[in-house]
Amino acid sequence: LAKTTQPISMDSYEGQEVNITCSHNNIATNDYITWYQQFPSQGPRFIIQGYKTKVTNEVASLFIPADRKSSTLSLPRVSLSDTAVYYCLVGEDSSASKIIFGSGTRLSIRP
Amino acid sequence: DAMVIQNPRYQVTQFGKPVTLSCSQTLNHNVMYWYQQKSSQAPKLLFHYYDKDFNNEADTPDNFQSRRPNTSFCFLDIRSPGLGDAAMYLCATSRESGNQPQHFGDGTRLSIL
């Protein structure tokens, strides 16, 4: 089961692009990378999932290098409402394995 | 249009008094999960159901039990709550297990007096 490592916290300003990197050196061949966002007193919310190269949706982009030992969540032009904890998870997209949340990155956006 | 609903949002119980938390889903997903999240920590998986098959995590205390009477509902029973069980309890669903995107409820915050 691949363990993930993320920065504990990050600060940025409104309108900036924010990149949060997650390390997963022991990622297995069948593992996918998933990111969740969590606001205080709410459950985590799925943001994006990917296997390799780049994935983009209306909320974020996910960049995964060829060796897949890390991944970067990119949030374009953040606003105050993007202040939250962001979790990176790694696991198989199958019925076999369990998912463990890493420690998460607390992102604070300032005006 | 809530899809995973947890009731109540806040629950207070006494030390040692059994308590049940409930979760319902309108997504018709096969898998339902229960997580415990303590302050400033990541969610920790307690157990999950794939349909009616129960899967307990190895380090989940025996004090925690679960029931899934049908596809839509899942319950978390804490038989004898201790002070250390005060936490947010999160229910989630996914279509299949593994690293499928999970849909979370907003949790029940449990306090122990």
Side-chain angles (χ1 to χ4, degrees):
Chain A
L1 192 64
K3 180 180 171 165
T4 60
T5 304
Q6 305 172 233
I8 293 174
S9 64
M10 293 181 66
D11 295 323
S12 189
Y13 293 91
E14 280 192 296
Q16 299 293 306
E17 178 185 79
V18 171
N19 296 309
I20 306 174
T21 297
C22 179
S23 297
H24 27 79
N25 291 318
N26 297 323
I27 190 167
T29 303
N30 295 331
D31 284 347
Y32 280 70
I33 300 150
T34 309
W35 286 81
Y36 287 84
Q37 174 192 56
Q38 186 177 26
F39 298 113
S41 299
Q42 293 186 23
R45 183 175 71 99
F46 171 81
I47 302 175
I48 198 166
Q49 184 179 69
Y51 183 80
K52 62 180 180 179
T53 60
K54 177 183 175 183
V55 180
T56 297
N57 62 23
E58 64 277 7
V59 176
S61 295
L62 179 60
F63 298 93
I64 306 167
D67 66 3
R68 303 198 330 119
K69 293 183 183 298
S70 67
S71 58
T72 299
L73 175 73
S74 181
L75 304 172
R77 293 189 298 280
V78 293
S79 64
L80 296 177
S81 63
D82 292 315
T83 295
V85 178
Y86 292 81
Y87 291 101
C88 164
L89 284 71
V90 172
E92 279 190 50
D93 187 23
S94 71
S95 61
S97 62
K98 73 175 185 182
I99 302 303
I100 297 178
F101 277 77
S103 55
T105 297
R106 186 172 298 275
L107 175 65
S108 298
I109 305 300
R110 302 178 181 180
Chain B
D1 93 302
M3 295 177 288
V4 180
I5 303 163
Q6 292 189 243
N7 284 308
R9 291 295 313 276
Y10 300 91
Q11 176 74 55
V12 181
T13 192
Q14 291 179 329
F15 181 94
K17 184 174 181 180
V19 64
T20 295
L21 309 181
S22 70
C23 177
S24 63
Q25 58 140 335
T26 60
L27 297 163
N28 203 34
H29 281 173
N30 288 317
V31 192
M32 294 188 77
Y33 308 80
W34 279 104
Y35 290 86
Q36 179 192 63
Q37 186 174 28
K38 296 188 176 180
S39 181
S40 300
Q41 296 184 20
K44 179 179 180 298
L45 182 64
L46 296 173
F47 25 60
H48 74 277
Y49 275 93
Y50 185 96
D51 195 12
K52 295 182 180 179
D53 293 333
F54 178 68
N55 298 273
N56 197 30
E57 295 302 306
D59 56 355
T60 298
D62 292 340
N63 198 27
F64 292 86
Q65 306 282 317
S66 185
R67 296 170 283 136
R68 189 178 185 187
N70 54 53
T71 301
S72 300
F73 286 88
C74 197
F75 299 97
L76 170 63
D77 301 308
I78 308 177
R79 294 192 296 188
S80 181
L83 296 179
D85 297 327
M88 174 78 86
Y89 289 89
L90 295 162
C91 174
T93 73
S94 64
R95 190 177 305 278
E96 297 292 334
S97 56
N99 199 6
Q100 293 273 310
Q102 295 184 25
H103 299 258
F104 283 81
D106 283 335
T108 294
R109 183 166 297 282
L110 179 66
S111 299
I112 314 295
L113 299 180

